[in-house]
Amino acid sequence: MSFAPVPIAFELDGVPVSVEASPVARLSTVLRDDLGRTGTKVGCDAGDCGACTVLVDGAPVCACLTPAVQAGNRRITTVEGLAGDTLSALQDAFLRHGAAQCGICTPGFLMAATALLERDPAPSETEVEDALGGVLCRCTGYRKIVAAVMDARLPDRHHDRPMPEAGRAVGAALPRLDGRPKVTGEERFGADVRPADALAVAVIRSPHWHAAFAFGDLAGYVAAHPGLVAVFTAADIPGENRFGVIPAYADQPALAEGVARFRGEAVALVAGERAAIEALDLRDFPVVWTELPHVLDVASALAGEPVHAGRPGNVLVAGRVERGDAEAALAASHAVVAGTIETAYVEHAYIEPEAGFAAMDGDTLVITACTQSPFMDRDDTAKVLGLEPERVRIVPTATGGGFGSKLDLSVQPLIGLVALKTVRPAALTYSRAESMMSTTKRHPGSMRASIGADADGRITGMVFEGDFNTGAYASWGPTVAVRVPVHASGPYFTPHYRAIGRAIHTNGPISGAFRGFGVPQAAVMQETLYDELAVKLGIDRLAFRLTNALRDGQTTVAGQRMDSGVGIVDCLQALKPAWDRALGEAARLNAQEGRTRRGIGVASCWYGCGNTGIPNPSTIRLGITRAGELVLHQGAVDIGQGSNTVITQICADALGVPLGSIRVEGADTALTPDAGKTSGSRQTYITGKAAEKSGRALRETILRAANVSDAATLSLQAGVIVVAEGEAQRRIDLSALPENGFGYVLMAQESYDPPTVPLDANGQGKPYAVYGYGAQIVELDVDTALGTVRLARITAAHDVGRAINPLLAEGQIEGGIAQGIGMALMEDYVPGRTENLHDYLIPTIGDVPPIDTILVEVPDLEGPLGAKGLGEHVLIPTAPAILNAIRDATGVLVTRLPATPSRVLEAIGGRG
């Protein structure tokens, strides 16, 4: 039912406004669509995420739940109203503390915190957590948000921050260079850039796990609904209706052809004017479904009918790493432990659902959308739509979290098809339910392993097998199957080893990339067995890990000799003081009577940066204009991890110029070279190396032109480069130089591809050029009567090679730990049931304990200025350390994640 618009007048950010809107319109819709306040973000439309928080007469409310008519004659404040000519103290504190990463939730936190500080300028930490508890973040881990709010109450902390001078950018704990728009509401995400005349697109999705379908009278459906323009099906796709992140396994249709293989699969598009689409009841769409048999679990898939044609036994792919004779080593071991672990589907739960728009620019299709992989999007979308890649341009918006799922195509081919066919802009924003039902998840794992050691506590051998539910289509299943066996030993010397990883098709949600590509699941298996083996041998659990940790000169399970840069020993040693303190405190607490028991857990990780044994290049362009502007074409999409900042820091020091002299041209397939996808902890390491090479190459060109040594200094002025060496100065007149095809008079473009060796049939080779390392201690309390777990503290030591930006590195560690907490204790995506942020639980601000971060720097010869990757690694040790701490407290191991209170109680009850 539609309602006639009514006038609504209110004060918005100090200015009187008046609009006409439906009496049932949401305040968020009126603010965003009618008044242009896109700083108010919408993540769920259900009041679950809090991203849309605004102030009504000074009180925080969810704008998505507030009828716009309730704003009448009220005072509304949005994030755009917080700053005048300068940032508010709170906004400044968010920048200084690194409290904004991707930025999609930042406006909600700022508004909730503003309301708190206005009524209480000096809140306690508990009061901050209570006031901000209704806003969710998936990136930061919350700790820096709390610190920023606590710090904002101190008026003398607001100050300007000078940019580092030449040679001093790397190592500086700088706020992110792209941070200001995140705290002012100016940042534009996928749903913020819709053209006013764009057609809206609705997606018809399968309501069944496996079903055949047939369409009815589509032309009649369009004719019967004024405002609709067209319906598109697979028959309208002009190219090859298959895409995939790994070309050899490209098997997913943009629109299903006659059979849907999972619930939520797209089968048709309805395009029309926005009002018509919003009023549409998709239950009336003319499609007839015939349900087919389906399987959702791996055991049934292995025993049942094919889910995916051409995949015998429903096995997508199997990876294998074998070295020595693992069975013989186990048989000869002094002690052997064995176990099984099952992990759940985990939803990415980024606060920004997938969104974007497409439009024709001459004969070029331009798609503006959130993404982690612009060039992959371009190539796959071009293939689906039958276009040359050069006729597709991908312009990434700010991406409100990704963590792997936004590597896969979502809206791009759908809006591209509509724009191509109608020659009108077309926009699509997934609802939260659409996002959660149709996009990729972390692979559920079913794992078995045995590990042996000699009487001195040295590992003798290990056997590992893991089956991973990859869902209806391949996505990153092959990568998980190959990467897991390489990593399943953990960062330990294991002389005899056999590991097999299999990706299995089911009719469940597609499983894809998620911060670690299966390694977090495998680490739970391996690290819990390490604890059990240490206890069985009577050895301190941290000491046991130190005994077996990889060292320079040793060989990995994949046969790779680690000549230098192995930092796991340094990480474990850095934890020793916290370990001794935590054990002592636990002993004192547990000596008291009561049902609450303190447990201490530890776990380690390693993670290879980039692709596994295959090419993985990045390219960076750096140019100087006639006017003296220095431009860095940085195509690595920053999804919150900070690549726009750290890559610029690396480039500045390599070139030898102040950081503030560089202007960054962000990812755009028409403007930036291919820096590769943002995944696998590759951007700081690989793209950073390309930026270092480009900076050094351009510096060499300038020094050669000036005929000076590398000791010279450079400074850019209007139209001139001044090169100084000692007392001598030389001036290069840029206006006298010819421009190249990119508009630069001086330019360097360099690529870097890590030196790797493909794996052979036994998984032997050099899968990665650089690994990152880390270890974490978890202190927690278990209520043995209720099964509840309260985290008390986490100490994390991570080897980053060299900390390019310590502030952003700490933020990555805290954010990864928060996701690890969710994986361990609460996150369990149940297909068909948990398709909103109310039923699917992720950690809130009160669930993340204090985190002590120790940045370990063991430089690597391959990394840029010694740096290694970090983003994926930090999640890996958290869940196994939590499980080990629960076992330390209760004497039992929870073998099915997440370790919910009921499962903890079940394990305690089954102890005897």
Side-chain angles (χ1 to χ4, degrees), residues 77-95:
T77 308
T78 70
V79 68
E80 288 94 336
L82 295 183
D85 295 334
T86 61
L87 298 179
S88 71
L90 179 62
Q91 289 169 311
D92 183 76
F94 263 59
L95 288 183

Side-chain angles (χ1 to χ4, degrees), residues 795-807:
T795 306
H798 285 269
D799 171 26
V800 298
R802 184 173 182 186
I804 303 298
N805 187 316
L807 177 67

Side-chain angles (χ1 to χ4, degrees), residues 274-632:
R274 186 171 186 178
I277 292 295
E278 289 176 349
L280 209 56
D281 186 345
L282 296 181
R283 292 174 297 181
D284 297 334
F285 186 80
V287 58
V288 177
W289 300 96
T290 303
E291 286 194 68
L292 302 172
H294 70 270
V295 295
L296 297 180
D297 63 285
V298 164
S300 298
L302 291 172
E305 295 297 316
V307 170
H308 203 299
R311 304 277 166 80
N314 290 320
V315 177
L316 167 64
V317 67
R320 180 185 188 90
V321 172
E322 186 165 6
R323 186 169 182 83
D325 189 336
E327 275 79 9
L330 290 176
S333 297
H334 175 76
V336 176
V337 293
T340 63
I341 290 284
E342 291 186 16
T343 64
Y345 277 115
V346 180
E347 160 67 17
H348 292 79
Y350 29 70
I351 306 304
E352 179 204 26
E354 294 73 7
F357 80 94
M360 297 303 299
D361 180 8
D363 66 350
T364 299
L365 175 64
V366 181
I367 298 175
T368 303
C370 55
T371 180
Q372 294 180 234
S373 50
F375 278 86
M376 286 171 52
D377 288 356
R378 182 198 68 174
D379 295 347
D380 272 351
T381 301
K383 184 177 75 168
V384 169
L385 299 181
L387 301 172
E388 292 298 316
E390 294 73 22
R391 285 191 56 200
V392 176
R393 177 184 178 186
I394 303 294
V395 182
T397 61
T399 297
F403 318 115
S405 189
K406 288 176 184 174
L407 290 167
D408 292 67
L409 286 184
S410 56
V411 300
Q412 293 88 345
L414 308 183
I415 55 179
L417 176 64
V418 174
L420 188 66
K421 292 286 187 177
T422 65
V423 199
R424 283 187 60 181
L428 172 59
T429 299
Y430 281 5
S431 68
R432 175 56 58 180
E434 278 187 295
S435 177
M436 292 183 73
M437 74 168 63
S438 69
T439 62
T440 60
K441 310 287 173 272
R442 184 181 295 284
H443 288 74
S446 177
M447 297 163 289
R448 306 156 297 282
S450 301
I451 306 177
D454 63 21
D456 296 325
R458 295 192 178 277
I459 296 298
T460 53
M462 177 177 179
V463 172
F464 172 94
E465 292 184 10
D467 290 330
F468 297 90
N469 184 343
T470 204
Y473 296 107
S475 184
W476 291 93
T479 299
V480 168
V482 172
R483 188 178 284 260
V484 164
V486 172
H487 288 86
S489 66
Y492 307 107
F493 180 66
T494 309
H496 298 275
Y497 180 79
R498 188 186 76 244
I500 297 172
R502 299 191 297 177
I504 311 297
H505 277 302
T506 68
N507 294 113
I510 303 168
S511 297
F514 191 167
R515 207 169 196 169
F517 290 95
V519 179
Q521 298 94 303
V524 172
M525 181 76 267
Q526 171 265 319
E527 286 289 332
T528 54
L529 285 181
Y530 255 56
D531 252 31
E532 184 176 347
L533 192 52
V535 171
K536 190 172 185 177
L537 291 166
I539 300 174
D540 175 85
R541 292 173 288 152
L542 181 65
F544 179 67
R545 287 168 170 83
L546 270 166
T547 295
N548 291 286
L550 275 170
R551 289 165 167 79
D552 289 350
Q554 290 185 323
T555 302
T556 72
V557 293
Q560 179 177 354
R561 179 181 168 83
M562 307 297 286
D563 292 321
S564 64
V566 180
I568 185 59
V569 169
D570 300 75
C571 292
L572 291 166
Q573 288 176 338
L575 290 181
K576 186 64 164 58
W579 178 252
D580 291 340
R581 174 197 55 76
L583 290 178
E585 290 182 4
R588 287 191 295 274
L589 290 170
N590 290 333
Q592 303 171 13
E593 292 292 332
R595 68 191 198 188
T596 299
R597 306 294 295 172
R598 172 63 59 93
I600 311 300
V602 63
S604 303
C605 74
W606 68 329
Y607 193 78
C609 300
N611 293 344
T612 308
I614 58 176
N616 194 17
S618 273
T619 302
I620 284 288
R621 181 186 305 138
L622 185 62
I624 302 176
T625 68
R626 279 182 174 169
E629 184 181 29
L630 177 59
V631 184
L632 171 63

